[in-house]
Every structure is written in structure tokens, then in C-alpha cells.
Amino acid sequence: MHIKDHWDHLDPATRKWLIDNPGCQILPRTITAVVSKAAGENLASGQHGETVISQEDHEFIRSMATGVANA
């Protein structure tokens, strides 16, 4: 699962949170739940429902935050 593949399916509040937190490498459970729903799969990997994002997703989010989307 890649966040950029589901970016357009995320609600504006979730996209804003991701853009406002471009250095975050572990998504909190609330954001994980929204992204999981958009992706149609369970992404939770930590004992508290959080998930670690891939380097590719991290770079994508940072590019969206700086306005230099390469997707």
C-alpha cells in the first residue's frame, strides 16, 4: 500500500494532517484508520494501532508539503 495511490481518496482533514506533519514516520492510530479505510486494507502494525510509513510514502508526503509533488 502506498499513500500516494490513495491520496485522492483521503478526506481533506487527513491530507492536511499529513502535510502539516511531513516528518512523521509513524502514523497515529486515528490517521492509520482513515488511510486503511481509503486503501481497503488494515495497515495497523503496532500494538497501539499505529503504522510505520515507507520511505517512498515519506518522500511523497514531504513533496506534497513543499508543493513539489512528483507523483
Side-chain angles (χ1 to χ4, degrees), residues 6-71:
H6 303 284
W7 186 257
D8 293 334
H9 301 286
L10 297 175
D11 62 89
T14 301
R15 286 188 296 219
K16 181 173 178 4
W17 188 93
L18 290 167
I19 288 170
D20 289 348
N21 297 280
C24 184
Q25 295 183 357
I26 300 175
L27 300 179
R29 69 175 177 228
T30 54
I31 301 298
T32 295
V34 173
V35 175
S36 291
K37 185 176 180 182
E41 59 185 273
N42 183 10
L43 303 177
S45 60
Q47 73 183 57
H48 300 291
E50 73 278 355
T51 193
V52 176
I53 63 171
S54 69
Q55 182 64 32
E56 182 179 345
D57 281 334
H58 187 252
E59 290 171 7
F60 171 77
I61 292 166
R62 289 183 69 83
S63 73
M64 296 302 287
T66 60
V68 187
N70 57 9

